[in-house]
Amino acid sequence: QLKNIGLEYNAISKIETGSFANLPNLRGVYLGNNQLTQLDSSMFAGSNKLMSISVRGNPNLPKTNIQSLCPPAARYCYVYY
């Protein structure tokens, strides 16, 4: 029953599509201060309780459509950048 994932300050540059999919109890994902350049909008599919995604401190990550990272059924989800 994974609820939170903290991967800050790990020099992560890429996360495979679906890496966080189908984690029904996931509430928070913290990816700040890495080297991410893109995130797929389907990477959190099925994580419908997701409330918080933090991508702060990823200077090469485009901010356009960043809110689309939240699954459609996650009613209270917000992306912090």
Side-chain angles (χ1 to χ4, degrees):
Q1 290 192 339
L2 186 62
K3 292 185 180 181
N4 294 292
I5 299 172
L7 298 170
E8 303 97 341
Y9 298 97
N10 281 294
I12 297 169
S13 60
K14 182 177 181 179
I15 297 175
E16 296 295 324
T17 301
S19 294
F20 301 111
N22 298 313
L23 295 171
N25 294 308
L26 189 62
R27 305 271 166 102
V29 178
Y30 308 97
L31 301 170
N33 298 292
N34 281 296
Q35 302 300 319
L36 295 169
T37 57
Q38 69 178 40
L39 293 172
D40 188 274
S41 63
S42 66
M43 71 185 309
F44 299 107
S47 299
N48 297 330
K49 293 181 182 177
L50 192 58
M51 298 178 76
S52 178
I53 303 169
S54 177
V55 293
R56 292 180 176 159
N58 285 282
N60 299 316
L61 184 64
K63 304 302 187 255
T64 55
N65 299 321
I66 196 86
Q67 199 62 35
S68 69
L69 291 173
C70 291
R75 296 177 57 198
Y76 303 106
C77 183
Y78 188 77
V79 180
Y80 297 90
Y81 57 92

